[in-house]
Amino acid sequence: MINKTKLSAVALFLGPSLLIIALFFFMPVIAAFAMSFTDFDIYALGNLDYLRFVAFKNYSTLLSDPLFWTAIKNTFYFVMVGGPLSVAASLAAAVLLNSKFIRFKGVFRLIYFLPVVTTHVAVAIVWRYIYHPRFGLLNYLLGFIGLGPVDWLGDPNWSMPAIILLVVWKNFGYNMVIFIAGLQNIPEELYEAASIEGASAWQQFKHITIPQLAPTTLFISVITMIGYFQLFAEPYVMTQGGPLNSTLSIVLYMYQEGFRWWNIGYSTALAFMLTIIILIGTSIQFKLQKERNG
Amino acid sequence: MSEVILKNVGKVYEGKNRAVQSVNLEINDKEFVLLVGPSGCGKSTTLRMVAGLEEITEGEIYIDGKLVNDIPPKDRDIAMVFQNYALYPHMTVFENMAFGLKLRKFPMEKINERVNEAAKILSIEHLLERKPKQLSGGQRQRVAVGRAIVRKPKVFLFDEPLSNLDAKLRVQMRTELARLHHQLETTVVYVTHDQTEAMTLGNRIVVMKDGIVQQVDSPLNLYNNPVNQFVAGFIGSPAMNFIEGKIVNDDGIKFTSEMNVLQIPLDEKVFSKYVNSKITLGIRPEHFSDEDNALNKIRITLDVVEQMGNEVFAHFAIDGKPIISRLKPKDTFRIGAEVEISLDKNHFYFFESETGSRIV
Amino acid sequence: MAKVKKYLVLALVIFVAVITFLPFLWMVSASFMPTGASNTYPPKLFPEKFDFSHYQVLFSRLNLTRYLLNSIIISLGATFFSLFLNSMGGYAFAKFRFSKKESLFKFLLSSMIIPGQVTMLPVFLLLKNMGLINTYWAIIVPGMASIFGIFLIRQYAFSIPDSMIEAAKMDGATELQIYLKVILPLCKPILVTLGLFTFMGTWNDFLWPLIVMTDSNMYTLPVALANLSSEHVQDTEMLMAGSVITIVPVLIVFLALQKYYIKGIMMGSVKE
């Protein structure tokens, strides 16, 4: 227990960072919320006299906007399929790398991690060519097992799976690192006790690893979900939301409405819809976890 | 001259948690004063108020005649040694000791001179270029002391400086601190929970409990004339034994223990007003005897016997209460042995059971 | 049996590594192929002869030097300021005593759930009013402080014992001196971590620079690359060279300091 710190010191140390956060985060959130009830558009941008309060009109328009529902559907597709796949890939990679058979763990971990730190845009460009229907590496490799060729980015049925595949490849290393830390925190004695009782490797995984990792998995699922709801760079660079809007995500739609057409009111309403969806998604996950824990 | 005066000093935390209550204390120049008491007794808080690390919510503190309540620590001309040493891990020993002087804009030659001088006193000259991580516990302790003495402050404050050391090193550092105080001739305020440390180091000891000063006295006076049951029990090792009972008037004023094992006739003048009130008898372990000529004999059975070589700690029960006695060693002292033992009636202490205050 | 298992695991690990690494390998080798040579069937994994012309063209005709410079200035600037502001804030939240501290911090943490995209339009309009669009500040200023950065420093600063700060006070240091001479040196590992996060995050960011840098001279590498990819969609080898240039600086930084990066992920994943 120390003295209270002098107010001047508190102001000096906290002032700058809190000012920046207030100015560039909290105020904009409030402003965006206000804007979502106006018809703020390119005319109002030039002259604020054109700005009108429209109450919930933006939100009601959104709900009857087929493109919005397409974006919602695509984003949910991406989150619901890509999220679990991503978490599963991370867990699998973590378990693999945690195996006592593997030497040079550091090297493999580094390789697995490389896509994480690589620029989205560069990755998306490279993968656009990997997905090339005629010359692409992926179709070439699939050819060996008698599959394809698939027009990955040109076929509306395959465009989202293509983006999911790319994102899983890019991100699995990140959560893998967290899983490895979680795995290393599981006491070795638990496995020893289980193997003495005759549990097979799979049984050990199911009855020790998975439950012991539950808090880690919850954390990873939540951050992965929040991040995946914000899908943007990959479809922007690879497909511009196409073909036939099959990869139009909420953020991409929001970007187009806001920064291409300057429908600012409409775009901020979209942003708040996204926020609400993320909030609901997060609370559902916490609730599921709680129920599972009884 | 650098005396420290505390006038009605108190500390109240937000809420209404009272940590220290009206402490009055005059610490003389060059005196070595110890604040001692169980954890949570307010001794550290008191020290930290003197240091300026803790706001003084009530009363006044003077250092060298100057009121320091609103003076920040750096301007109080004091230095402090912390329990965990608090050495800066990114600085060498030299830099650690020089840091305070540098901040005070001492010229480099002066800093060198002061640091080397202090290093010599503490025999850590060979460690000056090392980082704290490369030092042993005892060496870190010395550096922490060195950091305090280079500034030649008016007052040294020590906050349980030896409690992180192992037992052997603690005894060694204790001796060195005593020597150092003698050599530096500075006022020292020293906090510890260890009564042995208190007894061996201090000119005067301040015993605290629950934020209240119980007694301020020299080590010997505390031992011989404790003002209450708490001080009597806290000072001395093994601790004083307490036997509860009451005063009865049955053919003269007597103390009888709860189960009537002890019956001690008492001076009527002092004890007549305590008839029928609960009283606790205190007796130190060394005031038992098994010599043949002893009076007041009672028969006891030994529960535990700890042979120390030059003496023996014999444990037994009186009135069902565990008692430790300190006797001259004998081969016949074994667990289960029956011994006739006497209590030295010249060294009885009586306390009011309710308040704990001593009856003189 | 154990041996079979061992080789199976090893094979899997290597297989994943190959899959992970293959796109990088193809990117680098395609960037050295002559124009058109990468669009063949079957795809070639290695160039027949090395052709550096795409790199030359990128730097000479396509202004890549400028974009590289933009990216470097912006990333370093953002890193520098964010280290200062976040470390001051995080330290204050960890060690200062003031009323409402905990509730203020909880409020900040819980607001992290709001996606950053919500703020984009208002921030854009704000920066436009401040006249900062198409300047480096448009990216640096909003990123100077972040709740995550404050959180990271705070977690670390907890491990610094209070007595260290008190010792410095007794030694005569002011609050600012304590921060500069004791706290900052002690926080070095976490500062490296946060710096790395900020640098790489700023370098790799795409959406925000795309919005605030409308003048092509102010493009960062990812924006320039995205732009290039829509203009030169047929020129695969050139785009791969551009991708290599975009990726290499950040990979070098990462490889040099990966230990700190991994540690940061762990700290970020520690729940309150």
Side-chain angles (χ1 to χ4, degrees):
Chain A
M1 287 280 211
I2 322 177
N3 288 344
K4 281 203 170 172
T5 313
K6 276 202 203 109
L7 211 59
S8 59
V10 176
L12 173 71
F13 279 81
L14 270 182
S17 51
L18 290 189
L19 181 75
I20 291 287
I21 291 170
L23 202 59
F24 293 100
F25 186 69
F26 286 110
M27 274 174 41
V29 168
I30 296 166
F33 191 61
M35 283 176 192
S36 73
F37 297 104
T38 69
D39 67 346
F40 206 137
D41 58 11
I42 191 148
Y43 303 107
L45 204 55
N47 183 346
L48 278 178
D49 292 341
Y50 291 108
L51 188 70
R52 276 174 312 167
F53 176 74
V54 297
F56 288 97
K57 186 164 161 279
N58 287 325
Y59 291 93
S60 58
T61 314
L62 262 182
L63 294 180
S64 56
D65 175 355
L67 265 188
F68 170 68
W69 288 109
T70 307
I72 292 268
K73 196 193 80 197
N74 293 338
T75 308
F76 269 86
Y77 181 5
F78 177 73
V79 172
M80 294 304 184
V81 178
L85 264 180
S86 200
V87 174
S90 302
L91 179 58
V95 171
L96 265 184
L97 277 199
N98 206 41
S99 157
K100 53 182 181 292
F101 297 127
I102 304 298
R103 281 190 294 166
F104 308 114
K105 283 182 180 155
V107 177
F108 284 113
R109 192 182 65 181
L110 188 65
I111 292 174
Y112 289 9
F113 202 78
L114 279 185
V116 175
V117 294
T118 311
T119 319
H120 279 282
V121 175
V123 165
I125 286 174
V126 172
W127 276 72
R128 210 169 62 188
Y129 291 99
I130 289 176
Y131 282 141
H132 195 284
R134 276 181 57 212
F135 309 124
L137 206 55
L138 185 59
N139 277 346
Y140 174 70
L141 293 176
L142 285 178
F144 283 110
I145 48 173
L147 294 176
V150 176
D151 186 2
W152 290 100
L153 298 175
D155 181 339
N157 290 320
W158 285 108
S159 52
M160 191 51 94
I163 285 186
I164 289 173
L165 184 63
L166 153 66
V167 171
V168 169
W169 173 83
K170 183 169 181 340
N171 289 341
F172 80 95
Y174 187 91
N175 291 332
M176 174 192 76
V177 169
I178 304 176
F179 270 132
I180 289 178
L183 284 173
Q184 283 165 355
N185 280 338
I186 302 176
E188 189 59 34
E189 296 82 44
L190 289 183
Y191 292 105
E192 286 166 1
S195 64
I196 286 169
E197 288 178 31
S200 68
W202 171 250
Q203 283 170 323
Q204 289 182 26
F205 179 76
K206 206 172 131 196
H207 295 293
I208 298 173
T209 311
I210 295 287
Q212 287 283 317
L213 280 180
T216 313
T217 312
L218 174 68
F219 172 79
I220 285 174
S221 309
V222 170
I223 57 163
T224 304
M225 185 198 67
I226 293 177
Y228 278 19
F229 267 120
Q230 302 173 34
L231 174 71
F232 172 75
E234 289 80 5
Y236 179 90
V237 175
M238 301 218 304
T239 57
Q240 278 83 48
L244 297 175
N245 292 323
S246 61
T247 56
L248 182 73
S249 68
I250 300 178
V251 176
L252 184 55
Y253 188 39
M254 192 190 95
Y255 170 82
Q256 288 175 351
E257 284 297 321
F259 290 98
R260 190 168 299 160
W261 313 119
W262 298 104
N263 292 326
I264 292 171
Y266 198 59
S267 175
T268 46
L270 248 169
F272 273 98
M273 289 302 236
L274 176 67
T275 310
I276 292 166
I277 291 169
I278 290 177
L279 282 176
I280 294 173
T282 311
S283 50
I284 287 176
Q285 271 187 325
F286 274 105
K287 208 164 176 189
L288 282 180
Q289 181 72 19
K290 222 177 244 167
E291 270 169 24
R292 211 173 302 155
N293 290 349
Chain B
M1 289 299 284
S2 44
E3 71 281 286
V4 179
I5 298 170
L6 287 79
K7 274 191 189 159
N8 292 317
V9 169
K11 174 81 192 178
V12 182
Y13 285 116
E14 254 174 294
K16 43 193 180 285
N17 206 339
R18 179 175 283 280
V20 175
Q21 198 166 337
S22 60
V23 172
N24 283 293
L25 196 58
E26 285 192 26
I27 298 165
N28 302 321
D29 188 31
K30 293 172 194 166
E31 200 178 7
F32 198 128
V33 167
L34 272 119
L35 305 183
V36 68
S39 67
C41 72
K43 56 190 191 298
S44 274
T45 310
T46 307
L47 185 80
R48 290 163 59 80
M49 284 194 280
V50 175
L53 295 171
E54 198 88 55
E55 199 187 348
I56 302 158
T57 49
E58 294 164 356
E60 289 153 356
I61 295 181
Y62 297 87
I63 296 176
D64 203 9
K66 207 165 90 184
L67 179 69
V68 296
N69 280 38
D70 295 321
I71 295 178
K74 66 188 171 83
D75 300 324
R76 293 189 183 191
D77 201 2
I78 46 179
M80 183 154 164
V81 176
F82 293 85
Q83 179 174 358
N84 60 3
Y85 319 136
L87 299 176
Y88 311 119
H90 58 291
M91 298 184 194
T92 62
V93 168
F94 181 91
E95 288 165 336
N96 260 288
M97 289 166 71
F99 189 59
L101 300 174
K102 268 187 198 153
L103 290 173
R104 286 181 169 75
K105 306 246 155 40
F106 274 60
M108 204 55 217
E109 321 80 87
K110 193 87 189 159
I111 294 178
N112 276 328
E113 186 193 308
R114 288 271 188 99
V115 173
N116 286 323
E117 188 188 357
K120 202 165 171 188
I121 293 174
L122 295 161
S123 14
I124 48 171
E125 295 137 296
H126 58 297
L127 304 174
L128 285 176
E129 291 315 311
R130 298 219 193 142
K131 292 266 176 77
K133 231 187 258 169
Q134 301 161 287
L135 304 179
S136 69
Q139 290 170 332
R140 285 180 207 183
Q141 176 66 63
R142 279 163 214 265
V143 176
V145 173
R147 183 168 65 178
I149 64 179
V150 287
R151 297 221 325 264
K152 305 200 167 163
K154 284 190 190 124
V155 182
F156 282 114
L157 307 176
F158 287 83
D159 190 2
E160 308 229 5
L162 304 184
S163 54
N164 280 7
L165 298 176
D166 64 50
K168 200 172 164 193
L169 213 49
R170 202 178 310 158
V171 175
Q172 187 193 332
M173 280 308 291
R174 203 167 72 199
T175 332
E176 277 195 46
L177 286 180
R179 180 181 58 82
L180 196 66
H181 173 244
H182 193 71
Q183 194 174 350
L184 296 173
E185 297 195 308
T186 326
T187 313
V188 174
V189 187
Y190 187 112
V191 162
T192 179
H193 64 269
D194 177 354
Q195 60 91 24
T196 322
E197 231 168 278
M199 294 293 281
T200 49
L201 276 173
N203 301 126
R204 271 196 306 158
I205 297 175
V206 180
V207 183
M208 293 184 76
K209 184 200 169 202
D210 297 337
I212 299 169
V213 172
Q214 307 289 313
Q215 188 170 0
V216 184
D217 227 320
S218 69
L220 222 52
N221 267 340
L222 275 183
Y223 190 80
N224 291 327
N225 293 306
V227 297
N228 59 30
Q229 192 181 340
F230 173 77
V231 176
F234 192 78
I235 301 290
S237 173
M240 187 185 274
N241 301 293
F242 295 110
I243 301 162
E244 276 151 42
K246 63 179 179 188
I247 304 288
V248 291
N249 195 346
D250 173 21
D251 281 343
I253 303 284
K254 271 191 218 159
F255 170 87
T256 59
S257 62
E258 276 173 348
M259 294 161 80
N260 294 323
V261 176
L262 283 180
Q263 302 266 348
I264 301 165
L266 294 170
D267 182 353
E268 211 151 311
K269 267 180 279 172
V270 181
F271 289 92
S272 58
K273 62 178 170 189
Y274 292 104
V275 171
N276 286 328
S277 46
K278 287 193 170 175
I279 295 291
T280 303
L281 164 69
I283 180 161
R284 292 203 182 276
E286 57 268 40
H287 298 137
F288 290 91
S289 164
D290 67 321
E291 307 282 308
D292 292 340
N293 54 356
L295 304 163
N296 264 329
K297 281 192 183 173
I298 53 170
R299 263 195 108 67
I300 49 93
T301 311
L302 297 178
D303 295 330
V304 178
V305 178
E306 297 171 297
Q307 293 285 356
M308 310 301 283
N310 60 338
E311 58 187 0
V312 58
F313 293 149
H315 299 240
F316 50 88
I318 294 180
D319 238 33
K321 296 271 153 53
I323 300 288
I324 302 176
S325 66
R326 193 176 205 159
L327 305 171
K328 290 195 182 131
K330 260 188 202 153
D331 273 346
T332 52
F333 291 158
R334 297 227 175 84
I335 296 179
E338 290 209 351
V339 178
E340 288 223 308
I341 211 158
S342 71
L343 289 68
D344 182 347
K345 67 172 181 175
N346 295 322
H347 289 97
F348 285 159
Y349 297 84
F350 290 99
F351 306 95
E352 293 178 31
S353 294
E354 215 137 280
T355 61
S357 58
R358 182 161 165 218
I359 302 162
V360 189
Chain C
M1 185 59 202
K3 211 151 202 184
V4 175
K5 220 164 155 189
K6 178 180 168 169
Y7 286 118
L8 201 71
V9 170
L10 197 64
L12 264 172
V13 168
I14 291 171
F15 175 72
V16 176
V18 168
I19 295 216
T20 313
F21 202 67
L22 211 54
F24 289 102
L25 180 68
W26 185 77
M27 169 181 77
V28 174
S29 55
S31 77
F32 290 113
M33 291 179 191
T35 308
S38 68
N39 286 339
T40 54
Y41 194 89
K44 277 181 292 193
L45 271 186
F46 298 99
E48 272 152 14
K49 70 179 196 352
F50 281 89
D51 182 346
F52 294 92
S53 64
H54 308 298
Y55 290 94
Q56 282 165 3
V57 171
L58 281 172
F59 279 110
S60 58
R61 275 203 292 124
L62 294 172
N63 217 6
L64 212 72
T65 322
R66 171 75 201 216
Y67 305 139
L68 186 64
L69 209 63
N70 288 346
S71 273
I72 290 173
I73 292 172
I74 290 170
S75 301
L76 285 180
T79 305
F80 175 79
F81 284 110
S82 89
L83 282 184
F84 254 101
L85 267 63
N86 287 325
S87 65
M88 288 176 96
Y91 162 54
F93 269 120
K95 292 295 180 188
F96 281 10
R97 316 272 152 166
F98 53 94
S99 55
K100 301 270 182 289
K101 182 175 82 164
E102 294 310 317
S103 43
L104 177 61
F105 189 74
K106 269 200 193 120
F107 172 70
L108 287 180
L109 268 194
S110 56
S111 69
M112 278 174 83
I113 193 138
I114 302 174
Q117 285 85 359
V118 170
T119 64
M120 286 192 317
L121 278 159
V123 171
F124 173 81
L125 297 176
L126 178 66
L127 291 171
K128 194 163 172 274
N129 275 327
M130 294 164 85
L132 295 181
I133 296 299
N134 282 321
T135 68
Y136 294 139
W137 298 113
I139 296 174
I140 294 174
V141 173
M144 275 200 225
S146 69
I147 298 170
F148 175 73
I150 291 176
F151 169 79
L152 209 59
I153 301 279
R154 172 178 173 269
Q155 292 300 95
Y156 191 86
F158 276 139
S159 67
I160 300 172
D162 285 345
S163 60
M164 198 80 73
I165 295 161
E166 292 172 353
K169 265 185 200 158
M170 305 294 286
D171 269 337
T174 61
E175 293 287 358
L176 205 60
Q177 282 170 324
I178 294 174
Y179 164 73
L180 290 172
K181 301 199 167 165
V182 178
I183 301 300
L184 279 190
L186 289 181
C187 281
K188 213 150 83 193
I190 197 67
L191 290 175
V192 176
T193 300
L194 179 60
L196 201 56
F197 276 155
T198 315
F199 182 86
M200 291 173 53
T202 314
W203 186 280
N204 288 337
D205 192 18
F206 173 58
L207 182 51
W208 189 243
L210 179 71
I211 290 169
V212 294
M213 299 306 200
T214 49
D215 173 358
S216 66
N217 263 325
M218 297 304 291
Y219 283 175
T220 59
L221 276 177
V223 179
L225 190 63
N227 204 45
L228 202 67
S229 84
S230 54
E231 284 171 12
H232 296 252
V233 80
Q234 295 309 322
D235 206 341
T236 316
E237 297 77 14
M238 170 112 76
L239 284 174
M240 289 310 118
S243 298
V244 170
I245 294 166
T246 308
I247 291 173
V248 160
V250 66
L251 280 192
I252 290 173
V253 173
F254 170 72
L255 288 178
L257 300 168
Q258 54 147 328
K259 177 178 93 186
Y260 293 93
Y261 194 96
I262 304 283
K263 241 182 220 150
I265 295 178
M266 313 282 205
M267 279 192 72
S269 70
V270 174
K271 277 177 297 172
E272 278 286 88

